[in-house]
Amino acid sequence: MRIGELSARTGVSVRSLRYYEEQGLLRSTRSASGQRHYTDQDVERVEFLQRLYAAGLSSRVIADLLPCVDSPSAEHSDAALERMTQERDRLSRHIADLIGTRDALDGLIDLTRAYRESMRAAAR
């Protein structure tokens, strides 16, 4: 199937599919005229890639995980598990930072409300 059909079957834009190829996440064969051709297995691969992206993984992290899919082995599985754990830990740290930032903003909001109320009280 050509790239447009893969796009239609997966709901992924042609632009994204080209990006996946550029990043080494997806491969196609080329016709004599240079058109990309894909198989039914590529539909499954794109759907798998979409699940990984939905989990918040970057294309770099996804590339690190693909040996586990492409060449299953205990070693690749261990490496993928370690990489996903590292990514989860990174996300957890980021979430903690965001919570701290939100809490600081809440403090500023509270100060601003108190200041506004004191201005209103002084105007009475």
Side-chain angles (χ1 to χ4, degrees):
M1 81 187 78
R2 292 178 36 195
I3 196 166
E5 184 179 347
L6 182 61
S7 174
R9 288 180 61 182
T10 61
V12 175
S13 71
V14 168
R15 182 176 182 190
S16 292
L17 295 172
R18 287 185 185 123
Y19 174 78
Y20 295 172
E21 276 199 63
E22 289 171 9
Q23 299 303 306
L25 307 177
L26 181 65
R27 291 181 182 84
S28 66
T29 57
R30 298 286 183 132
S31 68
S33 62
Q35 293 179 332
R36 292 173 170 92
H37 289 276
Y38 301 93
T39 67
D40 287 334
Q41 289 177 330
D42 292 318
V43 172
E44 293 174 23
R45 178 137 180 140
V46 169
E47 290 169 347
F48 177 67
L49 294 172
Q50 286 300 109
R51 287 193 300 275
L52 294 173
Y53 278 116
L57 301 177
S58 68
S59 58
R60 187 183 73 235
V61 172
I62 292 170
D64 289 346
L65 300 176
L66 288 179
C68 184
V69 175
D70 296 335
S71 303
S73 70
E75 180 182 340
H76 287 154
S77 180
D78 289 345
L81 183 58
E82 176 63 26
R83 187 66 175 104
M84 286 186 287
T85 301
Q86 291 170 356
E87 189 62 16
R88 186 201 57 220
D89 292 346
R90 185 193 68 77
L91 289 171
S92 294
R93 288 189 303 273
H94 186 62
I95 289 167
D97 290 344
L98 288 172
I99 289 170
T101 301
R102 185 200 57 203
D103 291 348
L105 182 57
D106 285 344
L108 289 172
I109 290 169
D110 291 343
L111 284 172
T112 303
R113 283 186 178 138
Y115 177 75
R116 186 183 65 191
E117 289 303 315
S118 70
M119 294 294 291
R120 286 183 182 160
R124 292 182 194 150

